[in-house]
Amino acid sequence: MSFTDLNLDEQLLRAIQACGFTSPSDIQKQAIPVALEGHDLMASAQTGTGKTAAFVLPALQRLLNNEPAPGHGPRVLILTPTRELATQVTDAIRDLGKFSRLRSTTVVGGMPYPPQIKMLRQPLDLLVATPGRLIDHFESGRLDFGRLEMLVLDEADRMLDMGFVDDVERIAAALPEQRQTLLFSATLEGEVRNVARRLLKEPQRIQIAGVKTNHDSIDQHIHQADDFRHKQALLAHHLGQEAVSQAIVFTATKRGADDLAKQLREQGHRSAALHGDMSQGARRRTVEQMRRGQCRVLVATDVAARGIDIKGLSHVFNFDLPMAAEDYIHRIGRTGRGGASGTALSLVGPQEWDKVARIEKLTGCKLNRLVLDGLEPRQPEPKPFAQRGKGGRPGGYGQKRRFGGNNKPGGGNGRKPTIHHKRPAVGGRPRSAGNGQG
Ligand code: AMP
């Protein structure tokens, strides 16, 4: 199937071509026809599948097809959980709508109100917003939803995780009943399903390649780390490898991101932090630096990195593992995009093995254990909490892959390492233990 089979207007096809998209992705093939027929839709598709264009294209097409009703309020409203994702959707609208003369604007938190207020006074076709700021504008009477035709909920699961459920429902309640609603989410179960039941009308369901098949292009590994300093040494080793062209390192806290980015700069890496305490301008500049290759290592928290799309990112490091296994999926999905291969490496502290177990359960695949010469863990791998007291380890736990040596268990077994390690460039690490995760 090609884009021309999708019944899109000429100006959209030209824009698609200008974007360099040669054929529609799976989610686009499935979602666009359903959306163009006017059905409500709930689709499970993760970032990296082309889901943004899967709703932006039918939204634009709808706006081109229909005469605008009188009024000046938005005709399409797209809600996203974070500012970064909103920016990415806005960019997609700009690119795919560039021959279509439609007006769009973005209202997100963390940005000054006056320019947003000014934009909202003007006639508007598409509005991209995060729920909190949208509610502010709505409650101040600055939004007229009278001619709204379509609502899109992007990364709905994430929006609910972030506590936006009431905001989303209040916004939806203020919209015309007659609208079309499209919901995109990594999962369609649980709370997302409940919300969908309330907000969507007889939706068609689309399920795109689940978690298990989605990350074939990503090599996933873990390192057992004794403590914070061990993690630092492991990270330093990997960042010293040429194979790491550009990387995101995830930390659990904003402070951790700042500290680690600073340390990496001190070690000579072009590194910057990205987190929610930074102004929107600073975040945007940082992402731009990364896109232009001026920055090599981005140290980020989950929320800030959500939806970020940097082409050619070779590695994702989890300096801290995320609380939710779903976030692990989102994190590693930053690499291995658009047919490229990628590597995800997680550093697992003594308290983090339950998270590993949850991730392995969710992804259905066992993560490779890596050990580096000179940076071996001091302890055997702990059992995940759920396994403790049951006697014996679950099959395969503790089985490690070892590189760089030749007389080690598991060495010389004919298995080829998927990534190559040399001896640590930083000369190992002090054996005096640091304490905790800083
Ligand atoms: P998304 O899943 O929406 O975050 O998109 C992931 C990346 O794929 C973005 O860089 C898009 O520009 C790109 N993309 C979207 N659709 C296509 C397509 N049909 N062909 C090639 N790249 C695409």
Side-chain angles (χ1 to χ4, degrees):
M1 181 194 268
S2 74
F3 277 109
T4 40
D5 300 323
L6 287 173
N7 287 326
L8 296 166
D9 274 17
E10 185 54 36
Q11 61 259 56
L12 295 181
L13 292 175
R14 269 169 59 211
I16 289 167
Q17 203 175 19
C19 288
F21 302 170
T22 48
S23 57
S25 67
D26 285 349
I27 183 71
Q28 291 161 6
K29 279 183 207 158
Q30 294 195 46
I32 293 174
V34 172
L36 289 178
E37 280 170 14
H39 297 290
D40 280 7
L41 170 70
M42 52 195 297
S44 89
Q46 310 199 347
T47 172
T49 55
K51 69 176 169 65
T52 313
F55 60 77
V56 166
L57 285 169
L60 295 172
Q61 184 63 55
R62 181 175 184 128
L63 293 171
L64 293 169
N65 286 352
N66 295 358
E67 271 300 307
H72 78 281
R75 299 165 61 198
V76 170
L77 171 64
I78 300 169
L79 291 180
T80 73
T82 67
R83 313 179 222 183
E84 275 69 24
L85 201 58
T87 305
Q88 213 155 295
V89 172
T90 306
D91 290 349
I93 292 171
R94 185 200 56 213
D95 293 345
L96 293 168
K98 76 174 177 188
F99 303 115
S100 304
R101 295 176 163 220
L102 294 162
R103 288 152 303 190
S104 74
T105 197
T106 310
V107 300
V108 292
M111 298 287 277
Y113 279 84
Q116 294 184 353
I117 293 170
K118 198 169 154 207
M119 293 300 291
L120 292 177
R121 280 202 198 111
Q122 301 177 8
L124 197 58
D125 294 303
L126 299 108
L127 176 60
V128 184
T130 50
R133 180 59 67 95
L134 190 75
I135 285 276
D136 285 355
H137 286 297
F138 177 65
E139 291 191 334
S140 309
R142 291 185 207 111
L143 273 162
D144 165 15
F145 286 128
R147 59 176 198 163
L148 192 116
E149 298 171 43
M150 181 192 275
L151 168 67
V152 180
L153 303 172
D154 188 15
E155 303 208 356
D157 54 328
R158 187 67 178 189
M159 249 175 322
L160 303 185
D161 284 351
M162 290 172 72
F164 284 135
V165 60
D166 291 344
D167 286 351
V168 169
E169 298 220 11
R170 271 170 64 204
I171 292 163
L175 307 179
E177 276 278 318
Q178 281 314 309
R179 66 170 193 269
Q180 181 181 16
T181 306
L182 313 181
L183 177 149
F184 288 75
S185 176
T187 164
L188 299 179
E189 303 309 319
E191 184 62 6
V192 172
R193 192 163 58 182
N194 296 337
V195 168
R197 229 180 254 139
R198 293 194 288 271
L199 304 189
L200 278 66
K201 288 194 218 78
E202 298 171 27
Q204 305 234 352
R205 263 174 92 112
I206 293 177
Q207 198 106 23
I208 290 298
V211 170
K212 288 174 194 171
T213 54
N214 220 12
H215 291 117
D216 286 352
S217 57
I218 306 171
D219 278 334
Q220 301 175 52
H221 311 271
I222 57 177
H223 276 296
Q224 181 181 347
D226 297 327
D227 50 39
F228 185 72
R229 294 174 80 164
H230 193 184
K231 286 190 175 187
Q232 286 177 310
L234 289 163
L235 181 66
H237 164 81
H238 284 290
L239 292 181
Q241 306 294 309
E242 259 175 42
V244 181
S245 58
Q246 276 194 310
I248 295 191
V249 180
F250 283 97
T251 60
T253 64
K254 299 167 191 170
R255 168 95 195 278
D258 272 335
D259 291 350
L260 191 58
K262 183 160 167 268
Q263 264 170 28
L264 294 175
R265 278 196 300 276
E266 285 164 5
Q267 290 167 17
H269 298 290
R270 281 174 288 128
S271 169
L274 185 78
H275 58 66
D277 278 354
M278 294 161 61
S279 72
Q280 177 65 5
R283 286 156 76 168
R284 186 195 286 264
R285 278 193 297 281
T286 303
V287 173
E288 266 312 303
Q289 280 174 1
M290 195 73 183
R291 288 216 173 97
R292 282 195 238 108
Q294 293 160 339
C295 173
R296 178 169 167 255
V297 186
L298 195 61
V299 187
T301 56
D302 281 302
V303 169
R306 182 80 181 168
I308 280 185
D309 181 23
I310 294 163
K311 291 206 169 66
L313 195 87
S314 63
H315 285 67
V316 169
F317 294 98
N318 290 308
F319 194 85
D320 303 307
L321 278 170
M323 290 303 294
E326 285 79 8
D327 286 329
Y328 172 85
I329 308 285
H330 288 302
R331 287 179 177 191
I332 70 166
R334 311 286 110 223
T335 182
R337 291 163 91 89
S341 60
T343 301
L345 260 152
S346 303
L347 310 178
V348 186
Q351 311 300 327
E352 295 182 294
W353 289 93
D354 290 331
K355 294 174 182 169
V356 173
R358 286 201 292 272
I359 290 163
E360 291 184 330
K361 188 160 173 242
L362 181 72
T363 59
C365 78
K366 190 155 162 57
L367 298 167
N368 292 329
R369 272 66 173 163
L370 291 185
V371 179
L372 295 179
D373 273 3
L375 287 174
E376 298 89 347
R378 285 188 293 261
Q379 305 292 328
E381 182 179 314
K383 286 183 213 173
F385 187 74
Q387 303 288 340
R388 274 169 226 159
K390 288 190 183 166
R393 291 174 163 239
Y397 265 104
Q399 195 182 346
K400 293 192 172 92
R401 288 183 152 197
R402 193 177 262 283
F403 299 119
N406 50 19
N407 60 345
K408 315 290 194 304
N413 60 2
R415 280 183 300 183
K416 277 220 170 102
T418 21
I419 50 174
H420 302 280
H421 301 290
K422 297 184 189 128
R423 281 195 166 273
V426 291
R429 77 198 140 113
R431 276 287 164 181
S432 60
N435 56 344
Q437 314 285 310

